[in-house]
Amino acid sequence: MEVTVAVAQYPITQHSSLKAWALHVEAWIKEAVAKGAQLLVFPEYGSMELTSLLPDSQDLAEQTSAMTQWLDPFLTTFETLAKKYRVMLVAPSLPVAAEGRKVNRAYVFAPGGLAGYQDKFFMTRFEDEEWGISPGKKQLTLFEADWGSFGVQICYDVEFGIGAHYLAMAGAGLIVAPSCTEAIRGAARVHVGARARALENQAYVAVAQTVGMAEWSPAVDVNYGYAAVYAPPDVGMPEDGICAAGVPQHPCWVVATLQFGKLQEVRANGAVLNYRDHRHIAMSLLTETIGIQKVRVF
């Protein structure tokens, strides 16, 4: 089983109307489909380009709250395009009102329509202190396709092992990580996290990121990033664990074909057995604790 995945290096773009935005999104999807992509991943907060439709405003809270008015056309647009091009889409995440708070949500669409969503678990300081975004309900979604299963870990979430670990134990061979970072250090943290998740779970991890400047937006004005697809560095896989990576700050799709049979071979007969051993350690922690011994040295 295999799938060709396309991860976006996506620029935050100004639009004159909802129609212009929808045509822009379709052009991007059409380009990825032309490259053979079956699963397309847009970045975290790529949706914030819709705030360019607002009257001139530099109020951050107003811009994030205003996203609610575009939720229905946003969902309709991505659902229509997923059906039209017969692909799976991880849409750019956006602030969504849920149970009296705002969460950062990534919707997933299949050729049959809306498949589900994943909310972000861990908030960055910027989201917590300035955006007013709250952690989502601690519920992971495993998306099961004919070619394999995948889960979503949004940006900061992929810097922690727990979500990807649970998804891998549930059957995920691929973790997708939509991300939005403004500096090299932020992008580096996400990519280091993604490579760690690929290593410890012996799984594929695909990162999509925003790129470039959008000075008109107080929310996503500065973006630094690049897209990449990672694998466990092992037999039959890329020696350095990099399946594909883009040139930073250049708008494009990064495309890779992932073979899930190779993952099973690595998990069963790899040079190391991170996935098996990681599972065993996790299970042992349910019945015993790790002791800490302090030794004073002179």
Side-chain angles (χ1 to χ4, degrees):
M1 296 184 292
E2 66 178 37
V3 64
T4 299
V5 59
V7 280
Q9 294 185 184
Y10 190 74
I12 304 296
T13 306
Q14 283 185 290
H15 302 285
S16 58
S17 65
L18 269 175
K19 182 178 180 180
W21 166 79
L23 289 172
H24 171 80
V25 171
E26 182 169 10
W28 269 78
I29 291 171
K30 190 174 181 179
E31 179 184 346
V33 170
K35 296 176 183 292
Q38 300 159 278
L39 171 63
L40 285 62
V41 185
F42 285 88
E44 177 187 39
Y45 290 130
S47 61
M48 295 303 293
E49 62 186 359
L50 283 169
T51 62
S52 64
L53 303 179
L54 290 171
D56 290 342
S57 170
Q58 294 301 308
D59 185 271
L60 180 57
E62 179 183 308
Q63 288 213 347
T64 55
S65 296
M67 291 299 296
T68 303
Q69 68 184 287
W70 294 303
L71 180 58
D72 286 343
F74 177 90
L75 296 176
T76 298
T77 295
F78 278 98
E79 183 169 48
T80 299
L81 293 173
K83 290 178 178 179
K84 178 177 179 178
Y85 291 96
R86 305 297 300 168
V87 292
M88 295 199 71
L89 297 169
V90 180
S93 77
L94 73 166
V96 172
E99 300 178 351
R101 55 184 178 168
K102 284 186 292 186
V103 299
N104 182 0
R105 178 168 293 176
Y107 287 95
V108 177
F109 300 86
L114 177 63
Y117 63 84
Q118 180 63 60
D119 290 341
K120 189 174 183 178
F121 281 12
F122 296 98
M123 297 297 101
T124 61
R125 291 190 63 186
F126 189 66
E127 287 175 299
D128 180 38
E129 298 170 12
E130 299 187 48
W131 285 45
I133 306 292
S134 300
K137 181 180 178 181
K138 297 303 184 286
Q139 177 72 47
L140 291 166
T141 302
L142 182 71
F143 297 94
E144 298 179 315
D146 291 341
W147 41 260
S149 299
F150 72 97
V152 182
Q153 289 287 274
I154 302 174
C155 201
Y156 197 33
D157 284 0
V158 85
E159 297 180 33
F160 301 89
I162 188 168
H165 179 57
Y166 273 98
L167 286 166
M169 287 198 298
L174 168 65
I175 305 296
V176 301
S179 173
C180 175
T181 54
E182 64 179 10
I184 294 174
R185 59 181 175 270
R189 287 193 295 266
V190 170
H191 285 275
V192 168
R195 298 187 73 173
R197 305 295 79 82
L199 173 65
E200 67 197 11
N201 296 298
Q202 292 182 304
Y204 294 112
V205 181
V207 179
Q209 292 196 307
T210 52
V211 300
M213 302 293 291
E215 295 177 349
W216 49 269
S217 170
V220 284
D221 52 343
V222 180
N223 301 272
Y224 179 92
Y226 63 96
V229 181
Y230 299 114
D234 211 312
V235 178
M237 296 289 185
E239 288 290 306
D240 58 1
I242 303 173
C243 299
V247 177
Q249 298 297 79
H250 175 64
C252 67
W253 288 104
V254 173
V255 180
T257 298
L258 311 181
Q259 298 178 321
F260 289 89
K262 288 186 176 181
L263 280 185
Q264 299 309 315
E265 178 62 24
V266 166
R267 287 179 173 181
N269 300 303
V272 289
L273 299 173
N274 302 75
Y275 175 68
R276 183 202 69 181
D277 295 338
H278 192 201
R279 289 190 66 176
H280 287 173
I281 291 171
M283 293 303 295
S284 70
L285 290 177
L286 296 177
T287 57
E288 61 181 291
T289 58
I290 296 177
I292 298 178
Q293 180 180 0
K294 295 182 180 180
V295 177
R296 185 173 175 81
V297 294
F298 299 92

